[in-house]
């Protein structure tokens, strides 16, 4: 009886996400905020192929703007691979090839998907058999959105967004995504939110001490009702993102004028996600926004999290 040969390549895939609800708590002493997020994984994917190597390297291709993606040790996929190697005592390396389809710095968790897919790929390639719960803890060390890219589907995230509880979602939701040709820095958007709250402390409600997801959001997801969900889409980061990039307001107005049930800035932006009633409405909206010279893609959700792909 011979030992099973080690794999020569592992291909994994993880999804981007839309935050259909995002409430941000007050700025904490450590510089972070507690949040309450309703995540939905959508059918824009990051593909990672991992090959045996003596050291760690990454190359990147894809259908999105790649100039802002680092290919040195600061790349989150490289950091994910190194972290798993350190925790498992693995002494080799990995060569990563990433094919990106989630907008870069677009508020849709593309980097988080890269990290989740890399953890899964390296574990399979190296045969380290790292327990799933421990893998989710590693994912959280890499970033608040990484655990959700691992699990996918629909979930509620609390704490920093990495404490996940599955949420029931019936049916399929249709999204049309308007992609920007620029990025927005997540720390800059949070900073703008804090400054806005400080400037208007007398005029607006204080930041919630314990953020929570609106019960209407959970009801809409359980019902699989896009009209109901459109009524309760919410993002505390939308106003600061628009303040930093006023053109986002025009995009939101254009989409809603052309048949979207509602639009929302995804996460810290600048991607704008429009919810459509059904696939025909989504197609019509995609055509209208494309005619207005916007770069748009359609996606559906929820979809599964990080998975191994059989080539």
């Amino acid at each position: 009886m011979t030992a099973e040969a080690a794999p020569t390549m592992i291909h994994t895939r993880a999804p981007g996400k839309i935050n259909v609800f995002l409430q941000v708590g007050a700025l904490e002493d450590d510089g972070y905020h507690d949040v309450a997020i309703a995540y939905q994984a959508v059918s824009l994917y990051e593909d990672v192929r991992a090959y045996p190597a003596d050291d760690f390297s990454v190359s990147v291709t894809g259908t999105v703007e790649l100039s802002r993606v680092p290919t040195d040790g600061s790349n989150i996929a490289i950091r994910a691979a190194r972290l798993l190697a350190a925790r498992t005592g693995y002494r080799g390396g990995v060569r990563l090839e990433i094919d990106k389809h989630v907008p870069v710095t677009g508020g849709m968790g593309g980097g988080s998907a890269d990290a989740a897919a890399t953890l899964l790929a390296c574990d399979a390639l190296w045969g380290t058999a790292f327990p799933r719960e421990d893998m989710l803890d590693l994912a959280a060390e890499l970033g608040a959105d990484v655990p959700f890219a691992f699990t996918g589907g629909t979930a509620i995230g609390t704490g920093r967004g990495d404490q996940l509880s599955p949420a029931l979602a019936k049916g399929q939701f249709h999204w049309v995504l308007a992609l920007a040709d620029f990025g927005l820095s997540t720390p800059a958007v949070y900073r703008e939110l804090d400054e806005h709250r400080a400037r208007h402390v007398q005029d607006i409600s204080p930041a919630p001490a314990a953020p929570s997801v609106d019960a209407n959001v959970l009801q809409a997801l359980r019902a699989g009702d896009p009209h109901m969900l459109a009524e309760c889409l919410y993002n505390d980061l939308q106003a600061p993102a628009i303040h930093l990039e006023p053109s986002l307001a025009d995009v939101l107005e254009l989409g809603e004028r052309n048949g979207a049930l509602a639009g929302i800035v995804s996460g810290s932006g600048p991607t704008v996600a429009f919810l459509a009633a059904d696939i025909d409405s989504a197609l019509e909206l995609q055509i209208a926004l494309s005619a207005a010279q916007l770069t748009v893609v359609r996606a559906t959700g929820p979809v599964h999290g990080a998975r191994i792909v059989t080539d």
Side-chain angles (χ1 to χ4, degrees):
M1 189 173 182
T2 58
E4 186 176 339
T8 57
M9 187 274 286
I10 296 291
H11 176 191
T12 55
R13 176 175 293 158
K17 54 84 182 172
I18 292 170
N19 299 336
V20 302
F21 183 94
L22 172 55
Q23 186 177 74
V24 180
L27 179 64
E28 305 287 344
D29 292 340
D30 62 3
Y32 289 90
H33 306 73
D34 277 348
V35 296
I37 303 172
Y39 291 110
Q40 183 164 104
V42 296
S43 58
L44 291 182
Y45 298 99
E46 304 282 272
D47 283 273
V48 172
R49 290 175 173 81
Y51 299 84
D54 294 328
D55 56 4
F56 294 84
S57 63
V58 63
S59 60
V60 183
T61 58
T63 57
V64 294
E65 168 59 42
L66 300 173
S67 63
R68 294 184 295 272
V69 181
T71 54
D72 58 13
S74 67
N75 185 289
I76 192 171
I78 292 288
R79 292 194 286 117
R82 288 186 184 278
L83 182 60
L84 181 63
R87 293 298 167 83
T88 60
Y90 183 74
R91 297 185 177 278
V94 66
R95 175 169 63 88
L96 300 170
E97 295 179 355
I98 302 177
D99 189 20
K100 296 184 67 67
H101 303 280
V102 179
V104 179
T105 60
M108 293 190 66
S112 297
D114 292 343
T118 296
L119 288 174
L120 188 62
C122 289
D123 183 57
L125 184 72
W126 298 339
T128 44
F130 205 58
R132 181 176 176 83
E133 287 307 310
D134 294 341
M135 191 76 85
L136 290 174
D137 290 340
L138 279 192
E141 289 184 40
L142 291 160
D145 290 342
V146 181
F148 178 69
F150 214 97
T151 60
T154 304
I156 304 305
T158 54
R160 299 293 186 251
D162 57 347
Q163 299 171 24
L164 297 178
S165 303
L168 180 63
K170 180 182 176 183
Q172 192 175 64
F173 292 89
H174 295 271
W175 300 92
V176 177
L177 308 170
L179 312 182
D181 58 3
F182 57 88
L184 273 176
S185 159
T186 297
V189 176
Y190 271 95
R191 214 164 31 243
E192 180 62 28
L193 173 64
D194 294 331
E195 291 171 0
H196 174 79
R197 286 172 168 173
R199 286 194 301 267
H200 300 280
V201 67
Q202 303 299 326
D203 308 319
I204 60 175
S205 301
S212 61
V213 173
D214 186 340
N216 291 324
V217 174
L218 300 177
Q219 183 180 354
L221 292 169
R222 282 195 301 269
D225 188 332
H227 294 85
M228 190 185 303
L229 184 60
E231 294 296 321
C232 48
L233 293 178
Y234 179 79
N235 181 7
D236 266 336
L237 297 180
Q238 179 164 300
I242 290 173
H243 190 264
L244 292 172
E245 286 291 345
S247 63
L248 295 178
D250 298 329
V251 176
L252 283 161
E253 182 183 352
L254 183 63
E256 293 178 359
R257 212 168 54 229
N258 281 278
L261 297 178
I264 188 170
V265 172
S266 181
S268 57
T271 301
V272 176
F274 293 105
L275 182 58
D278 50 38
I279 188 169
D280 290 335
S281 300
L283 285 165
E284 290 174 7
L285 178 58
Q286 182 182 21
I287 291 168
L289 295 181
S290 295
Q293 306 303 308
L294 294 181
T295 302
V296 291
V297 295
R298 283 186 298 111
T300 58
V303 299
H304 61 69
R307 294 288 188 276
I308 293 176
V309 179
T310 302
D311 282 323

